[in-house]
Amino acid sequence: MNKILIIEDEENLANFISLELQHEGYNTKIHNNGRTGLEEALNNNWDAILLDLMLPELNGIEVTRRIRQVKNTPIIMMTARDDIMDRVSGLDHGADDYIVKPFAIEELLARLRALLRRIDIESDKNANKQTTLNYRDIIVEKENRLVRRKNEIIDLTKREYELLLTLMENVNTVLEREKLLEKVWNYEDHAETNVVDVYIRYLRNKIDIPGEESYIQTVRGLGYVMRA
Ligand code: CA
């Protein structure tokens, strides 16, 4: 469930936004002044912050500036004044979006969803950028498509490599043969699931250490998993 911090000094508006967000399944918390709102933003992790521009003690631009010194929490600035300078200035200081009061709650909800989706996509991208994977003493360097144990390179075929990568990217998740066929062989047709067993055997022959437990566990009737 997404946690949204609302920093807004008009209490009726803050309560209204909060109730609407809760109705949509968000967790919310309200602060009515810039200073305590900033403390809340810094001390806890929020998925997004709805931030009023004109606030007692610290204004929205100052709050944004101070948050940005340490955190990337997405911020939507809410401004009562349809003043282009304020908006530009808010975005300059690190707000991700802005909305002009008075606004329809649906518009705020739509912008919030869009922002959270964008953040999700970016964090997925960052996760995929992780170029080195480790499992026990096996290291996969994705950039070089290289698999090694310490300094010893393990020579894998393309298919074996894809299979190992898929297992290592899903540590602790049991992958069914059908799933592995889809991911590694791009099969839509699940007729030939025994090819997976064959390749698991090839892979084990190359990565396992004789006399020690296999890196890849068989889950009978289900598929395969690498357990952390
Ligand atoms: Ca205000």
Side-chain angles (χ1 to χ4, degrees), residues 153-212:
I153 291 173
I154 301 173
D155 187 27
L156 299 182
T157 65
K158 179 174 179 294
R159 212 61 102 178
E160 292 162 351
Y161 172 83
E162 295 290 338
L163 183 57
L164 178 65
L165 188 62
T166 304
L167 287 161
M168 284 179 64
E169 283 179 334
N170 295 279
V171 165
N172 283 333
T173 303
V174 177
L175 296 169
E176 294 157 350
R177 289 175 179 79
E178 289 79 4
K179 194 87 185 168
L180 288 168
L181 272 180
E182 275 175 23
K183 283 183 177 288
V184 179
W185 281 265
N186 301 321
Y187 280 14
E188 298 295 319
D189 177 2
H190 300 154
E192 299 289 334
T193 53
N194 63 341
V195 73
V196 176
D197 303 323
V198 170
Y199 271 83
I200 290 281
R201 199 159 62 236
Y202 292 159
L203 192 54
R204 279 174 171 156
N205 282 338
K206 291 190 177 176
I207 65 172
D208 284 357
I209 301 167
E212 290 187 17

Side-chain angles (χ1 to χ4, degrees), residues 31-108:
H31 276 266
N32 297 124
N33 100 40
R35 189 183 44 76
T36 65
L38 173 64
E39 282 168 15
E40 183 71 52
L42 295 179
N43 293 335
N44 293 296
N45 284 325
W46 299 92
D47 293 301
I49 299 171
L50 304 178
L51 177 63
D52 184 27
L53 179 65
M54 301 304 286
L55 285 165
E57 298 199 41
L58 276 182
N59 71 39
I61 289 173
E62 189 57 22
V63 171
T64 303
R65 200 182 62 77
R66 296 202 195 174
I67 291 172
R68 282 291 172 269
Q69 288 173 347
V70 282
K71 284 189 164 184
N72 291 320
T73 315
I75 296 172
I76 298 180
M77 188 81 84
M78 304 183 289
T79 168
R81 286 182 291 166
D82 189 3
D83 181 338
I84 191 71
M85 285 316 291
D86 278 347
R87 283 187 259 158
V88 169
S89 171
L91 293 172
D92 276 353
H93 287 86
D96 299 270
D97 198 1
Y98 63 87
I99 190 165
V100 177
K101 295 182 198 173
F103 48 77
I105 191 69
E106 290 76 14
E107 187 184 352
L108 179 64

